[in-house]
């Protein structure tokens, strides 16, 4: 698993607390994707299960470490949704908590890792509360969440919650330059902006098909602005990742509003300065804001309405945008 340099002080703090006997038995790590919560949780679980830790590092050589590396440690329990399910139910929680009352098979710690705690059903979360409050001897919990606010307050209150914030923009940019030197400075800054300063997420954006898909979408948008034919955007939006593409579109409309307010340095899409200026010249702030809001509503519907006809919804939204923009007083 990868390791990121900005995790070092956080790991040192949490690991030192654990090894000195001052750490909480239930740790809740939360932060946005790309900040390193998975990597931090992995390192901490390895340390806790190690039988011969080297200071605050797992030795990697003891029997427990080898079992952890193989993914077969009998005292390590992973609680996550079963294949094909979107939530972790009460039966899975009960099955694990019952085992915690048994002796550790390796005569060491017992640890429960819940990588997506927000996916616990309410019944499952409630079933976990007593064990979190009164754990059996040498039992530890590491929970993770992208959306800690969605967890039951009673669950959060029984954990030591640690928010893993993104590193500074300067640290993120330096790391991106080392990890992806072919990219230019403006692209790196743009990727970091779009990923809320989470460097690993920015690297993923730069090195996957997402980056080119985004550029293709904006190239078509520029043509649509010139021609007034926004329905031509359908081919770039109607994909499996339509929600992501809509997010890119809305950030661009908001950037055009910032540009109109002489706030160009605050624009997220720094690599699209020409297109941002084009949008700002063609449409009023009110119409750009209206478009962004309507696209966010469209995105919400795609994500929440079961069985929605995506192509039809996108077509209606594009026709709405075409009508909206044709009425903009800035239209030339």
């Amino acid at each position: 698993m990868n390791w990121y340099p900005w995790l070092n002080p956080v790991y040192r703090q949490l690991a030192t607390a654990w090894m000195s006997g001052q750490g909480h038995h239930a740790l809740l790590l939360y932060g946005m994707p790309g900040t390193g919560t998975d990597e931090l949780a992995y390192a901490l679980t390895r340390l806790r299960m190690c039988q011969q830790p080297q200071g605050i590092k797992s030795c990697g050589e003891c029997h427990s470490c080898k079992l952890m590396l193989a993914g077969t440690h009998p005292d390590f329990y992973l609680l996550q949704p079963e294949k094909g399910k979107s939530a972790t139910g009460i039966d899975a929680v009960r099955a694990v908590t019952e085992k915690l009352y048994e002796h550790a098979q390796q005569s060491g710690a017992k640890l429960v890792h819940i990588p997506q705690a927000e996916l616990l059903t309410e019944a499952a979360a409630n079933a976990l509360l007593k064990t979190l409050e009164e754990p059996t001897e040498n039992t530890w919990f590491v929970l993770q969440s992208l959306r800690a606010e969605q967890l039951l307050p009673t669950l959060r209150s029984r954990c030591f919650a640690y928010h893993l914030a993104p590193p500074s923009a300067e640290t993120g940019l330096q790391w991106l330059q080392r990890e992806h030197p072919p990219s230019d400075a403006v692209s790196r800054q743009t990727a970091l902006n779009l990923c809320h300063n989470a460097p690993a997420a920015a690297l993923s954006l730069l090195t996957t098909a997402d980056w080119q898909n985004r550029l293709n979408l904006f190239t078509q948008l520029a043509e649509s602005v010139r021609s007034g034919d926004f329905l031509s955007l359908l081919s770039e939006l109607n994909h499996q990742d339509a929600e992501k593409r809509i997010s890119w579109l809305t950030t661009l409309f908001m950037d055009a509003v910032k540009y109109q307010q002489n706030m160009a340095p605050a624009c997220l899409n720094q690599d699209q300065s020409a297109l941002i200026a084009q949008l700002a010249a063609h449409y009023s702030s009110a119409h750009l804001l209206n478009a962004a809001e309507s696209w966010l509503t469209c995105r919400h519907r795609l994500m929440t309405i079961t069985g929605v006809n995506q192509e039809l919804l996108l077509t209606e939204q594009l026709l709405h945008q075409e009508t909206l923009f044709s009425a903009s007083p800035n239209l030339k």
Side-chain angles (χ1 to χ4, degrees):
M1 183 169 282
N2 293 326
W3 186 255
Y4 307 121
W6 59 87
L7 295 178
N8 289 331
V10 179
Y11 175 80
R12 191 177 302 112
Q13 175 188 345
L14 296 175
T16 299
W18 257 6
M19 300 310 289
S20 65
Q22 299 176 1
H24 200 282
H25 69 276
L27 179 63
L28 169 62
L29 301 172
Y30 65 102
M32 67 183 67
T35 53
T37 52
D38 288 341
E39 292 75 11
L40 182 59
Y42 178 74
L44 288 169
T45 56
R46 286 281 309 279
L47 172 66
R48 176 50 66 190
M49 300 307 289
C50 179
Q51 294 174 328
Q52 299 172 350
Q54 309 297 307
I56 58 172
K57 293 183 179 181
S58 54
C59 70
E61 299 295 332
C62 69
H63 186 54
S64 280
C65 279
K66 290 178 179 178
L67 289 172
M68 286 293 288
L69 285 169
T72 57
H73 201 300
D75 300 318
F76 175 80
Y77 305 100
L78 185 63
L79 259 179
Q80 59 184 0
E82 296 177 7
K83 188 175 181 180
K85 294 187 177 181
S86 59
T88 304
I90 189 171
D91 291 340
V93 170
R94 284 174 174 168
V96 167
T97 54
E98 287 174 5
K99 292 178 181 178
L100 296 178
Y101 288 94
E102 301 172 2
H103 290 292
Q105 295 186 42
Q106 295 298 310
S107 301
K110 292 169 285 185
L111 192 144
V112 180
H113 181 205
I114 310 177
Q116 295 174 290
E118 68 271 13
L119 298 185
L120 290 166
T121 64
E122 185 173 351
N126 283 323
L128 190 63
L129 291 179
K130 184 178 179 182
T131 309
L132 278 174
E133 190 169 9
E134 301 176 5
T136 55
E137 184 180 0
N138 206 9
T139 298
W140 307 83
F141 297 84
V142 175
L143 291 77
Q144 291 173 248
S145 181
L146 297 176
R147 298 175 292 277
E149 70 280 358
Q150 292 185 5
L151 302 181
L152 289 179
T154 47
L155 186 66
R156 292 200 306 270
S157 69
R158 285 163 173 78
C159 302
F160 174 75
Y162 190 98
H163 176 232
L164 184 59
S168 68
E170 181 181 3
T171 297
L173 287 170
Q174 291 173 350
W175 182 81
L176 279 175
Q177 185 172 11
R178 289 196 302 270
E179 294 297 314
H180 192 51
S183 61
D184 60 90
V186 175
S187 294
R188 290 192 292 270
Q189 182 65 66
T190 298
L192 205 59
N193 290 345
L194 293 173
C195 295
H196 308 286
N197 285 333
L203 179 63
S204 177
L205 175 58
L206 284 168
T207 56
T208 62
D210 280 347
W211 189 254
Q212 189 58 51
N213 292 338
R214 171 181 167 273
L215 295 179
N216 292 343
L217 173 64
F218 290 166
T219 298
Q220 184 57 57
L221 176 61
E223 178 57 35
S224 295
V225 172
R226 285 190 290 268
S227 66
D229 175 21
F230 284 91
L231 198 57
S232 60
L233 278 170
L234 183 62
S235 61
E236 295 296 336
L237 288 169
N238 190 26
H239 291 268
Q240 247 183 345
D241 60 348
E243 297 90 348
K244 184 186 298 182
R245 297 178 186 227
I246 289 172
S247 293
W248 296 334
L249 201 58
T250 56
T251 62
L252 203 67
F253 291 149
M254 296 306 298
D255 281 347
V257 175
K258 296 174 189 175
Y259 185 90
Q260 291 173 337
Q261 302 300 319
N262 298 317
M263 297 172 60
C267 291
L268 299 182
N269 298 279
Q270 290 290 322
D271 64 334
Q272 298 295 318
S273 56
L275 179 53
I276 291 169
Q278 183 184 14
L279 287 166
H282 276 69
Y283 311 117
S284 70
S285 294
H287 285 77
L288 288 165
L289 289 170
N290 192 320
E293 184 179 359
S294 65
W295 273 112
L296 289 175
T297 300
C298 177
R299 180 176 180 268
H300 179 73
R301 289 172 178 167
L302 282 176
M303 296 174 67
T304 59
I305 300 177
T306 304
V308 66
N309 186 322
Q310 175 174 292
E311 184 173 3
L312 179 60
L313 185 61
L314 291 172
T315 299
E316 291 177 345
Q317 175 60 26
L318 286 167
L319 290 172
H320 168 71
Q321 180 174 308
E322 193 170 301
T323 302
L324 173 70
F325 277 180
S326 66
S328 176
N330 281 23
L331 188 63
K332 295 182 179 180

